[in-house]
Amino acid sequence: MFQQLSGVSIILFIAGGVQTILFLFIFAKRQIMRFTIRSRRGPYTPIACDTNNFLKKEIDRRIRTLPKIQYEPDVKDFKTIRNTYRIPSHYHRLQAISDFKTIV
């Protein structure tokens, strides 16, 4: 059988086998790492599950107020920046939003 195959074809056959084994090893390692990372997360426990009722309500109240926190800078804060050598990249977007606020 080996007499019919040339040396180049034998080397290509061995390289293909090594490459297949290497791909399978990399795939198996990635799957194992994926499952270990997924199982590392603990079970879900609610926030403040073992505390008294007052503390639980206070924590819930503070969590509900988080979406209401906003900071909207005004272009007037950046008037001195326009006279400098380098204008920040966000200056023109900030100015457009400020102008839009005055229109609406």
Side-chain angles (χ1 to χ4, degrees):
M1 180 178 165
F2 287 115
Q3 293 173 355
Q4 295 173 356
L5 298 175
S6 66
V8 174
S9 62
I10 292 174
I11 291 174
L12 288 175
F13 182 73
I14 292 173
V18 168
Q19 186 177 11
T20 304
I21 291 171
L22 187 66
F23 283 149
L24 288 175
F25 174 75
I26 290 171
F27 178 75
K29 184 178 177 186
R30 286 177 56 101
Q31 287 296 103
I32 291 170
M33 290 301 293
R34 200 171 122 223
F35 288 128
T36 56
I37 287 172
R38 185 180 294 171
S39 67
R40 200 174 296 165
R41 297 183 205 146
Y44 174 74
T45 56
I47 297 173
C49 62
D50 293 335
T51 61
N52 59 12
N53 202 13
F54 172 73
L55 188 58
K56 194 182 294 187
K57 287 181 182 178
E58 181 65 21
I59 290 172
D60 286 339
R61 183 188 66 81
R62 289 186 184 197
I63 288 175
R64 281 194 306 270
T65 59
L66 284 176
K68 297 176 186 174
I69 298 173
Q70 293 180 356
Y71 172 70
E72 296 179 4
D74 195 16
V75 178
K76 296 171 187 153
D77 299 337
F78 293 100
K79 290 294 184 187
T80 58
I81 294 176
R82 191 184 328 171
N83 297 332
T84 61
Y85 175 69
R86 187 163 187 250
I87 297 174
S89 60
H90 63 278
Y91 176 76
H92 298 291
R93 287 179 293 206
L94 190 62
Q95 189 174 12
I97 290 173
S98 181
D99 292 343
F100 182 75
K101 282 183 190 177
T102 58
I103 292 172
V104 176

